[in-house]
Amino acid sequence: MPHNIVLRLTSYAALVVAALLFVAPLLFMFAGSLKPDDQVLLEAGSWRAFLPDTIAWQNYLDVFARVRFGRYLMNSLFITSMIVAAGLIVNSLAGYAFARLQWTGRDILFAGVLTIMIVPLEAIAVPLFYQVTLFGWRDTYIVQILPFLANAFSIYLFYTFFIGLPRELEEAARIDGASVLRTFVSVIVPNSKPVFATVAILTFLMQWGAFLWPLMVTSGEAVRPLPLAVSTFHSLPPLQWGDIFAFGVMMVSPVLIVFLLFQRWFVRGVVATGIKG
Amino acid sequence: MLADHQRLTGLLLAAPALLGLLVFVAIPFLLALTLAFTNLRLGSPLPVEFVGFDQFRRIFSDPAFLRALVNNTVFALLVVPLQTALALALALLLQQRLKGRVLFRTLFFMPVVFPLSLIAVIWILIYAPGPNGMMNHFLTTISFGAWLPRDFLHDPYLALPAIMLTSIWQGTGFQMLILLAGLQTIPDELYEAARIDGAGRMATFLHVTLPQLRNTLIFVVLVTTILAFRLFDQVQIMTHGGPRNATTTVMFEAVQAAFGRQQVAIGAAMSVVLFVVVLVITLLQQHVARHEREIS
């Protein structure tokens, strides 16, 4: 028994130390966003870095005065929600067609989807950049949305979920004479909430942080999303760390709120990426 | 009748997604393979022509690109084992049914939901030069003054390790969660059997936990290795590849070529190299996983 208590205490000690290390940079940002700009760097080397003396909202006001934060936020919200919503429709339909319908070319096309799954965005970013330049799509919303709607991994996740659903679900609807699409909407979708939630969260997480692609295809601030805006804001003189951290806090708050509210689904989503293995 | 009807419906339902994958993944991919063998430059008056392996010869004699390949490899060789070991340790700690484990899991996972670009910006300040910098102060304190303040991101020897540390801090939670899920699929009977056989903690870990977790570990290692070769955001924001190419990566060089210098063909050739690396890693992982399955 005493051996067990020692083990527990060591485990707790290790967890607490690890947790402090993991949380410190985030606390640093939250505390810094509430401090006068010059104090952020000055106090970075002491425990005061994680604790504001006073609560000052000035940095937040400064962000709005210096850049069009609202615009970036709307851009990010619009681009991400379009990709999530349209992506759910397009990829779930494809996943359903591959999992449950008989059609010519299905198996070979599905093999194609599985092959495409290993191509990372980075490997095609350059030719895609050239392609959309030819289309005349640079500096638009469409160039940040359209290429990311169809997603091989999302199709795969839908496929594996749908293939596990009992056949009886559809048969009853078919006997009533419902069309394939109607059966999908009224019978399959209501029984597949977990996979829709998983795909939605994974897509949201990926797209909310998208940096490389917007960097390549946007030059003006009109359609620029937050991840790109925070890096340009950081290099916008004068260097004021309080403002930068306030920008960061506002930028991450939507994700953090969604994460804390739907944590169970985040966990499932991440675990789903591990199913492949 | 119904079968005929279904035949068309299936294709129609899949069509939008298939079209998207064709136009925005398959065609660009084929385009990369084609452009890499041309001399295409945006805005160049020269006619576009087929130049064979010239671009590949060029990039493989370009010191910056070779340095990028080395940097990505070093990054993978150090970050993958360190991050996996740390993630496994945290997963094992959380696996014990301690109170507050959900809170700890939340805290470890939190950096994963932060956009990488924001994390890069926060860590620029953490690595601030001078004794007041957070990392400098931390290292001085835990080394009882032996550490002398350095300018991490402008130091040719420290810049890449600094980016590695940031990446480990950001990515560990993701791995930990997948490993935790893997740990939970190990049947209790196996632990029970080990206990009856009188196996100690270490023996149980080596002979029950590790073999059972093997496929999850292989998967996690694969994903992290591929991520190491895709490295871009942190480099672009924290060091811009410097100092003197100390932190440049394949993707950073590709973007510099295609986007910065308009040399689309060279960028495409670099993309092809990146894809070949990813492909080799994937095939290797599948080979190892299959091999393991045959043994067990």
Side-chain angles (χ1 to χ4, degrees), chain B residues 54-69:
Chain B
D54 277 9
Q55 305 294 14
F56 289 96
R57 255 176 240 129
R58 255 176 96 175
I59 61 175
F60 279 108
S61 55
D62 171 9
F65 184 72
L66 294 176
R67 183 63 195 263
L69 276 174

PDB file of all heavy atoms in Angstrom, chain B residues 54-69:
ATOM      1  N   ASP B  54      16.742  18.942 -65.591  1.00  0.00           N
ATOM      2  CA  ASP B  54      17.535  20.125 -65.257  1.00  0.00           C
ATOM      3  C   ASP B  54      17.181  20.737 -63.902  1.00  0.00           C
ATOM      4  O   ASP B  54      18.061  21.076 -63.120  1.00  0.00           O
ATOM      5  CB  ASP B  54      17.358  21.205 -66.339  1.00  0.00           C
ATOM      6  CG  ASP B  54      18.284  20.938 -67.513  1.00  0.00           C
ATOM      7  OD1 ASP B  54      18.905  19.844 -67.525  1.00  0.00           O
ATOM      8  OD2 ASP B  54      18.379  21.806 -68.404  1.00  0.00           O
ATOM      9  N   GLN B  55      15.860  20.903 -63.645  1.00  0.00           N
ATOM     10  CA  GLN B  55      15.452  21.562 -62.392  1.00  0.00           C
ATOM     11  C   GLN B  55      15.864  20.725 -61.192  1.00  0.00           C
ATOM     12  O   GLN B  55      16.240  21.262 -60.150  1.00  0.00           O
ATOM     13  CB  GLN B  55      13.941  21.814 -62.364  1.00  0.00           C
ATOM     14  CG  GLN B  55      13.401  22.592 -63.550  1.00  0.00           C
ATOM     15  CD  GLN B  55      13.911  24.026 -63.609  1.00  0.00           C
ATOM     16  OE1 GLN B  55      14.857  24.420 -62.942  1.00  0.00           O
ATOM     17  NE2 GLN B  55      13.267  24.832 -64.450  1.00  0.00           N
ATOM     18  N   PHE B  56      15.759  19.395 -61.340  1.00  0.00           N
ATOM     19  CA  PHE B  56      16.162  18.527 -60.232  1.00  0.00           C
ATOM     20  C   PHE B  56      17.670  18.626 -60.005  1.00  0.00           C
ATOM     21  O   PHE B  56      18.135  18.671 -58.872  1.00  0.00           O
ATOM     22  CB  PHE B  56      15.738  17.077 -60.505  1.00  0.00           C
ATOM     23  CG  PHE B  56      14.251  16.900 -60.407  1.00  0.00           C
ATOM     24  CD1 PHE B  56      13.450  16.943 -61.540  1.00  0.00           C
ATOM     25  CD2 PHE B  56      13.641  16.722 -59.174  1.00  0.00           C
ATOM     26  CE1 PHE B  56      12.079  16.800 -61.442  1.00  0.00           C
ATOM     27  CE2 PHE B  56      12.268  16.577 -59.067  1.00  0.00           C
ATOM     28  CZ  PHE B  56      11.480  16.624 -60.212  1.00  0.00           C
ATOM     29  N   ARG B  57      18.422  18.668 -61.126  1.00  0.00           N
ATOM     30  CA  ARG B  57      19.871  18.839 -60.997  1.00  0.00           C
ATOM     31  C   ARG B  57      20.158  20.155 -60.273  1.00  0.00           C
ATOM     32  O   ARG B  57      21.016  20.236 -59.404  1.00  0.00           O
ATOM     33  CB  ARG B  57      20.519  18.838 -62.382  1.00  0.00           C
ATOM     34  CG  ARG B  57      21.244  17.530 -62.649  1.00  0.00           C
ATOM     35  CD  ARG B  57      21.790  17.504 -64.077  1.00  0.00           C
ATOM     36  NE  ARG B  57      21.196  16.397 -64.790  1.00  0.00           N
ATOM     37  CZ  ARG B  57      20.598  16.478 -65.973  1.00  0.00           C
ATOM     38  NH1 ARG B  57      20.524  17.632 -66.600  1.00  0.00           N
ATOM     39  NH2 ARG B  57      20.099  15.408 -66.530  1.00  0.00           N
ATOM     40  N   ARG B  58      19.393  21.183 -60.642  1.00  0.00           N
ATOM     41  CA  ARG B  58      19.611  22.489 -60.026  1.00  0.00           C
ATOM     42  C   ARG B  58      19.334  22.474 -58.530  1.00  0.00           C
ATOM     43  O   ARG B  58      20.140  22.975 -57.740  1.00  0.00           O
ATOM     44  CB  ARG B  58      18.690  23.524 -60.682  1.00  0.00           C
ATOM     45  CG  ARG B  58      19.430  24.438 -61.632  1.00  0.00           C
ATOM     46  CD  ARG B  58      18.472  25.354 -62.310  1.00  0.00           C
ATOM     47  NE  ARG B  58      18.377  26.647 -61.641  1.00  0.00           N
ATOM     48  CZ  ARG B  58      17.644  27.636 -62.143  1.00  0.00           C
ATOM     49  NH1 ARG B  58      16.965  27.468 -63.262  1.00  0.00           N
ATOM     50  NH2 ARG B  58      17.590  28.779 -61.515  1.00  0.00           N
ATOM     51  N   ILE B  59      18.170  21.916 -58.142  1.00  0.00           N
ATOM     52  CA  ILE B  59      17.856  21.990 -56.706  1.00  0.00           C
ATOM     53  C   ILE B  59      18.790  21.110 -55.884  1.00  0.00           C
ATOM     54  O   ILE B  59      19.127  21.445 -54.764  1.00  0.00           O
ATOM     55  CB  ILE B  59      16.366  21.676 -56.387  1.00  0.00           C
ATOM     56  CG1 ILE B  59      15.979  20.273 -56.800  1.00  0.00           C
ATOM     57  CG2 ILE B  59      15.450  22.706 -57.019  1.00  0.00           C
ATOM     58  CD1 ILE B  59      14.559  19.899 -56.379  1.00  0.00           C
ATOM     59  N   PHE B  60      19.256  19.993 -56.480  1.00  0.00           N
ATOM     60  CA  PHE B  60      20.152  19.141 -55.702  1.00  0.00           C
ATOM     61  C   PHE B  60      21.589  19.650 -55.687  1.00  0.00           C
ATOM     62  O   PHE B  60      22.450  19.059 -55.036  1.00  0.00           O
ATOM     63  CB  PHE B  60      20.068  17.689 -56.173  1.00  0.00           C
ATOM     64  CG  PHE B  60      18.872  16.982 -55.597  1.00  0.00           C
ATOM     65  CD1 PHE B  60      17.776  16.665 -56.384  1.00  0.00           C
ATOM     66  CD2 PHE B  60      18.816  16.674 -54.235  1.00  0.00           C
ATOM     67  CE1 PHE B  60      16.659  16.046 -55.843  1.00  0.00           C
ATOM     68  CE2 PHE B  60      17.709  16.052 -53.686  1.00  0.00           C
ATOM     69  CZ  PHE B  60      16.625  15.735 -54.496  1.00  0.00           C
ATOM     70  N   SER B  61      21.846  20.755 -56.403  1.00  0.00           N
ATOM     71  CA  SER B  61      23.158  21.379 -56.230  1.00  0.00           C
ATOM     72  C   SER B  61      23.005  22.744 -55.567  1.00  0.00           C
ATOM     73  O   SER B  61      23.953  23.516 -55.479  1.00  0.00           O
ATOM     74  CB  SER B  61      23.869  21.496 -57.582  1.00  0.00           C
ATOM     75  OG  SER B  61      23.041  22.180 -58.486  1.00  0.00           O
ATOM     76  N   ASP B  62      21.783  23.021 -55.092  1.00  0.00           N
ATOM     77  CA  ASP B  62      21.523  24.287 -54.398  1.00  0.00           C
ATOM     78  C   ASP B  62      21.750  24.074 -52.892  1.00  0.00           C
ATOM     79  O   ASP B  62      21.039  23.298 -52.263  1.00  0.00           O
ATOM     80  CB  ASP B  62      20.067  24.706 -54.683  1.00  0.00           C
ATOM     81  CG  ASP B  62      19.621  25.879 -53.836  1.00  0.00           C
ATOM     82  OD1 ASP B  62      20.470  26.491 -53.148  1.00  0.00           O
ATOM     83  OD2 ASP B  62      18.404  26.168 -53.853  1.00  0.00           O
ATOM     84  N   PRO B  63      22.784  24.741 -52.325  1.00  0.00           N
ATOM     85  CA  PRO B  63      23.095  24.509 -50.911  1.00  0.00           C
ATOM     86  C   PRO B  63      21.911  24.768 -49.982  1.00  0.00           C
ATOM     87  O   PRO B  63      21.731  24.056 -48.991  1.00  0.00           O
ATOM     88  CB  PRO B  63      24.233  25.493 -50.617  1.00  0.00           C
ATOM     89  CG  PRO B  63      24.626  26.099 -51.899  1.00  0.00           C
ATOM     90  CD  PRO B  63      23.658  25.722 -52.962  1.00  0.00           C
ATOM     91  N   ALA B  64      21.092  25.776 -50.302  1.00  0.00           N
ATOM     92  CA  ALA B  64      19.960  26.090 -49.425  1.00  0.00           C
ATOM     93  C   ALA B  64      18.967  24.929 -49.403  1.00  0.00           C
ATOM     94  O   ALA B  64      18.456  24.545 -48.350  1.00  0.00           O
ATOM     95  CB  ALA B  64      19.269  27.365 -49.890  1.00  0.00           C
ATOM     96  N   PHE B  65      18.717  24.334 -50.579  1.00  0.00           N
ATOM     97  CA  PHE B  65      17.761  23.227 -50.629  1.00  0.00           C
ATOM     98  C   PHE B  65      18.326  21.992 -49.918  1.00  0.00           C
ATOM     99  O   PHE B  65      17.599  21.308 -49.194  1.00  0.00           O
ATOM    100  CB  PHE B  65      17.402  22.882 -52.079  1.00  0.00           C
ATOM    101  CG  PHE B  65      16.350  21.818 -52.180  1.00  0.00           C
ATOM    102  CD1 PHE B  65      15.028  22.085 -51.861  1.00  0.00           C
ATOM    103  CD2 PHE B  65      16.681  20.525 -52.575  1.00  0.00           C
ATOM    104  CE1 PHE B  65      14.057  21.096 -51.929  1.00  0.00           C
ATOM    105  CE2 PHE B  65      15.715  19.528 -52.647  1.00  0.00           C
ATOM    106  CZ  PHE B  65      14.402  19.822 -52.331  1.00  0.00           C
ATOM    107  N   LEU B  66      19.612  21.735 -50.119  1.00  0.00           N
ATOM    108  CA  LEU B  66      20.226  20.595 -49.439  1.00  0.00           C
ATOM    109  C   LEU B  66      20.185  20.793 -47.926  1.00  0.00           C
ATOM    110  O   LEU B  66      19.889  19.873 -47.171  1.00  0.00           O
ATOM    111  CB  LEU B  66      21.667  20.397 -49.923  1.00  0.00           C
ATOM    112  CG  LEU B  66      21.781  19.993 -51.395  1.00  0.00           C
ATOM    113  CD1 LEU B  66      23.235  19.922 -51.818  1.00  0.00           C
ATOM    114  CD2 LEU B  66      21.084  18.658 -51.645  1.00  0.00           C
ATOM    115  N   ARG B  67      20.455  22.045 -47.514  1.00  0.00           N
ATOM    116  CA  ARG B  67      20.377  22.357 -46.085  1.00  0.00           C
ATOM    117  C   ARG B  67      18.946  22.125 -45.574  1.00  0.00           C
ATOM    118  O   ARG B  67      18.729  21.615 -44.485  1.00  0.00           O
ATOM    119  CB  ARG B  67      20.795  23.809 -45.842  1.00  0.00           C
ATOM    120  CG  ARG B  67      20.828  24.223 -44.396  1.00  0.00           C
ATOM    121  CD  ARG B  67      21.862  23.412 -43.619  1.00  0.00           C
ATOM    122  NE  ARG B  67      21.680  23.519 -42.189  1.00  0.00           N
ATOM    123  CZ  ARG B  67      22.366  24.368 -41.422  1.00  0.00           C
ATOM    124  NH1 ARG B  67      23.280  25.138 -41.943  1.00  0.00           N
ATOM    125  NH2 ARG B  67      22.133  24.417 -40.124  1.00  0.00           N
ATOM    126  N   ALA B  68      17.957  22.489 -46.415  1.00  0.00           N
ATOM    127  CA  ALA B  68      16.551  22.295 -46.047  1.00  0.00           C
ATOM    128  C   ALA B  68      16.269  20.809 -45.818  1.00  0.00           C
ATOM    129  O   ALA B  68      15.632  20.432 -44.823  1.00  0.00           O
ATOM    130  CB  ALA B  68      15.638  22.853 -47.135  1.00  0.00           C
ATOM    131  N   LEU B  69      16.747  19.952 -46.726  1.00  0.00           N
ATOM    132  CA  LEU B  69      16.542  18.516 -46.572  1.00  0.00           C
ATOM    133  C   LEU B  69      17.178  18.011 -45.276  1.00  0.00           C
ATOM    134  O   LEU B  69      16.572  17.233 -44.531  1.00  0.00           O
ATOM    135  CB  LEU B  69      17.142  17.761 -47.765  1.00  0.00           C
ATOM    136  CG  LEU B  69      16.263  17.635 -49.010  1.00  0.00           C
ATOM    137  CD1 LEU B  69      17.055  16.991 -50.139  1.00  0.00           C
ATOM    138  CD2 LEU B  69      15.018  16.808 -48.721  1.00  0.00           C
TER     139      LEU B  69
END
